[in-house]
Amino acid sequence: MDLTSVLILTGLGAFHGLNPAMGWLFAVALGLQEHSRVAVLRALPPIVLGHAGSVLITLALVSVARLAAPPRIVSYGVAALVCGFGVWRLVRRRHPRWVGMKVTRWQLAGWSFLMATAHGAGLMVLPITLHNGHGTAELASQSLLATAIHTLSMLATTTAVAMLVYERLGVAVLRKAWFNLDYVWAVALIGAGVSAAFT
């Protein structure tokens, strides 16, 4: 994997880490509920693992498709899927809701998996990994490496933001100084899909 791909994956992980819908807001809420910094930090590993699971499963499914179909067809299919998902995210503004604030670590990981999947986290990583690797072992190692880079960046950013909001800013910052990252994400998905179609 080249340096450009690593930097893009790191940037996408940081972007996910900044997005409150990807989990730091949930971690902060749990910390405020329990009046504990430890509760914030305890919530982060399941959140990040659920996110990583979504990314890895997406990459694995496309890797299987790459082994079974001609590369050009897979590239166009990924491009259409990523663009279509970006358009869907622009049109659909609601988030899935299924858990309360009393959750186990498994429920938190499951929630994170669903949120990452609903936001197309793995889809955004696909164009970067699409043209790396050709054999089964190479595709598997590229998928694992891409997921690891993305996840470590997300973990670092999510941790920093969660602690900053919990310790200093408070959740009121969302009303005063936050904008909806879902729109930026949807447009980025569309751009990634278009770029996948032409590379």
Side-chain angles (χ1 to χ4, degrees), residues 16 22 44-62 106 108-118 120-123 125-126 143-144 146-152 154-155:
H16 278 153
M22 292 293 109
L44 294 173
I47 288 169
V48 172
L49 288 174
H51 187 92
S54 174
V55 171
L56 190 57
I57 286 172
T58 302
L59 294 178
L61 290 172
V62 171
W106 287 108
L108 195 53
W111 170 86
S112 177
F113 177 88
L114 290 177
M115 289 302 287
T117 303
L123 294 178
V125 175
L126 280 177
S143 294
L144 287 170
T147 302
I149 292 166
H150 178 81
T151 301
L152 289 173
M154 184 206 173
L155 174 61

Side-chain angles (χ1 to χ4, degrees), residues 21-93:
M22 292 293 109
W24 67 256
L25 183 58
F26 206 145
V28 169
L30 290 171
L32 292 172
Q33 178 182 324
E34 295 181 28
H35 306 288
S36 168
R37 175 191 308 164
V38 173
V40 176
L41 295 172
R42 191 174 51 232
L44 294 173
I47 288 169
V48 172
L49 288 174
H51 187 92
S54 174
V55 171
L56 190 57
I57 286 172
T58 302
L59 294 178
L61 290 172
V62 171
S63 293
V64 169
R66 287 177 63 191
L67 293 170
R72 194 41 107 191
I73 291 174
V74 174
S75 292
Y76 287 143
V78 165
L81 183 65
V82 173
C83 282
F85 195 80
V87 170
W88 180 74
R89 290 298 308 151
L90 278 175
V91 173
R92 187 170 190 274
R93 297 184 182 160

